[in-house]
Amino acid sequence: FPRTNRILIICAGGIAGCDRPQSTLNPAGKEAAQILELFWWMTGGAVVIWLIMIALALYAIWLQPGAHDVKQTRRWIIGGGVVFPTVVLSVLLVFGLRMLPPLVAKAPEGSMQVEVKGLQWWWRVRYPPAADSNERAVELANEIRLPVNEPVQFLLDSEDVLHSFWIPALGGKVDMFPGRRTRLALTPTRTGTFRGVCAEYCGDAHAQMNFDVTVMERADFDAWLREQSQPATSPIDEAANRGSELFVSRGCGACHTVRGTEARGTVGPDLTHVGSRSSIGAGILKNQPDMFHRWLEETDAVKPGVLMPSFHMLPEEERMALAAYLEQLE
Ligand code: CUA
């Protein structure tokens, strides 16, 4: 391609990215909108300063050849090298600090809480029950759903190494530490599905540690959470039934929980309603027929370094039955 075309293609790619579910330039939350405002002020300020500097450089090169007025030079150095940056940086600092408290503050008392733990390389998500109810917490993995226009308090930590919780379209990002809880308050302002990522390098599959955040109307959210709180449904057909037996006999239940069955492991993700999630393997494979089978067959190829062993040694028929079982856990 000629050079201008190449530049156009790069720009088009960048602009097209603005509308994607992971874009900070298309905010879907109050905090992300504030961060975007800060970004535009910083960008605007940087452009103005750059233009001034370039103008001064051109002035020095072309209009003042051989000028050696010591007094004037000193004025330029003190004005342009000390006073100007001190004023500009101070203004930007105050502007940024003024925004900081709302971005890291606690959500208002009584806001919904969601606990998220980072693990190599997936997310454990827990919805604790409301303070006055005797219901149990709802646990799932790699998927978060939120009611629109309501503040939510995230309580974050890690079970192994450092991770960082970031939903670019909603706000963030906040580091997750083992043994220390951090907080993040977000208020989604429109419905839709957005992508969350781990923003701290945490090992082999760091780039494959993602999650979906679906923002819904309150009534839809309540219905979803009620469904998630139920134990797993019984297998719907012969294949799924065989899969449910294999799930226990082949040891899957040592690491995974399927509520309402003998599988009570807690090392890996809770799979009680895995069939209802939008993706499997923490945002890596779309939840489509065949993908559970692919995950079981080539786990370590799909996600290098993953702790779950690949089950390629099982007969094809057994893997198919396990996949059928997982798929219908909705
Ligand atoms: Cu977890 Cu990077």
Side-chain angles (χ1 to χ4, degrees):
F1 291 111
R3 192 151 160 252
T4 42
N5 282 16
R6 266 181 279 159
I7 292 170
L8 281 177
I9 287 169
I10 291 168
C11 291
I15 291 164
C18 299
D19 215 18
R20 310 295 296 177
Q22 199 179 309
S23 175
T24 51
L25 299 179
N26 187 18
K30 202 177 96 191
E31 292 73 14
Q34 287 174 321
I35 292 170
L36 184 61
E37 189 195 337
L38 181 65
F39 169 78
W40 285 126
W41 277 105
M42 293 282 189
T43 306
V47 168
V48 170
I49 292 170
W50 182 80
L51 288 174
I52 293 173
M53 287 307 165
I54 293 299
L56 287 174
L58 294 178
Y59 176 73
I61 293 166
W62 285 324
L63 299 180
Q64 292 255 297
H68 287 298
D69 182 340
V70 176
K71 261 191 186 162
Q72 208 186 359
T73 308
R74 197 178 295 142
R75 268 205 302 276
W76 278 113
I77 290 174
I78 293 174
V82 180
V83 178
F84 181 71
T86 306
V87 170
V88 169
L89 291 177
S90 302
V91 169
L92 288 178
L93 180 68
V94 171
F95 186 62
L97 285 179
R98 203 176 48 88
M99 274 190 168
L100 195 58
L103 293 180
V104 294
K106 285 190 200 168
E109 201 64 39
S111 299
M112 190 178 83
Q113 297 197 330
V114 182
E115 297 170 7
V116 185
K117 287 175 186 291
L119 292 95
Q120 284 173 319
W121 292 274
W122 60 282
W123 311 84
R124 195 190 294 281
V125 178
R126 253 178 112 246
Y127 287 79
D132 52 353
S133 92
N134 49 7
E135 289 166 15
R136 293 175 58 181
V138 177
E139 181 168 326
L140 56 146
N142 305 326
E143 181 164 303
I144 294 172
R145 299 206 187 191
L146 302 171
V148 69
N149 291 323
E150 291 183 33
V152 55
Q153 179 75 70
F154 284 103
L155 303 169
L156 309 167
D157 63 357
S158 161
E159 289 187 23
D160 40 45
V161 301
L162 296 190
H163 303 274
S164 184
F165 182 83
W166 190 26
I167 311 164
L170 298 187
K173 66 191 87 128
V174 169
D175 280 357
M176 308 168 100
F177 306 92
R180 182 184 141 194
R181 189 165 256 188
T182 47
R183 289 166 174 275
L184 176 68
L186 294 179
T187 310
T189 50
R190 67 184 157 89
T191 56
T193 299
F194 310 100
R195 193 169 170 86
V197 296
C198 178
E200 175 72 49
Y201 181 70
C202 54
D204 288 359
H206 155 71
Q208 286 130 317
M209 182 174 169
N210 308 308
F211 57 102
D212 277 336
V213 183
T214 303
V215 179
M216 323 166 83
E217 297 297 340
R218 183 75 210 192
D220 298 337
F221 172 79
D222 286 340
W224 170 81
L225 193 61
R226 219 174 302 122
E227 277 166 25
Q228 294 289 317
S229 70
Q230 301 299 313
T233 45
S234 311
I236 51 165
D237 56 24
E238 194 46 47
N241 192 43
R242 167 118 175 92
S244 73
E245 289 162 13
L246 287 165
F247 196 82
V248 176
S249 66
R250 291 300 187 192
C252 309
C255 292
H256 296 284
T257 291
V258 176
R259 271 175 279 131
T261 74
E262 287 172 50
R264 297 202 185 96
T266 55
V267 178
D270 184 305
L271 299 180
T272 309
H273 297 288
V274 68
S276 73
R277 292 175 199 156
S278 55
S279 73
I280 54 179
I284 299 308
L285 298 177
K286 283 218 174 311
N287 183 355
Q288 289 168 342
D290 301 344
M291 288 304 176
F292 282 104
H293 182 262
R294 183 171 164 210
W295 175 256
L296 291 168
E297 189 178 23
E298 41 186 53
T299 323
D300 45 5
V302 175
K303 190 171 223 178
V306 66
L307 294 182
M308 172 168 155
S310 154
F311 282 81
H312 59 271
M313 77 299 264
L314 291 185
E316 172 90 6
E317 169 268 322
E318 293 196 5
R319 278 199 310 270
M320 295 295 274
L322 280 166
Y325 171 57
L326 293 169
E327 229 177 289
Q328 55 88 61
L329 286 175
E330 287 189 348

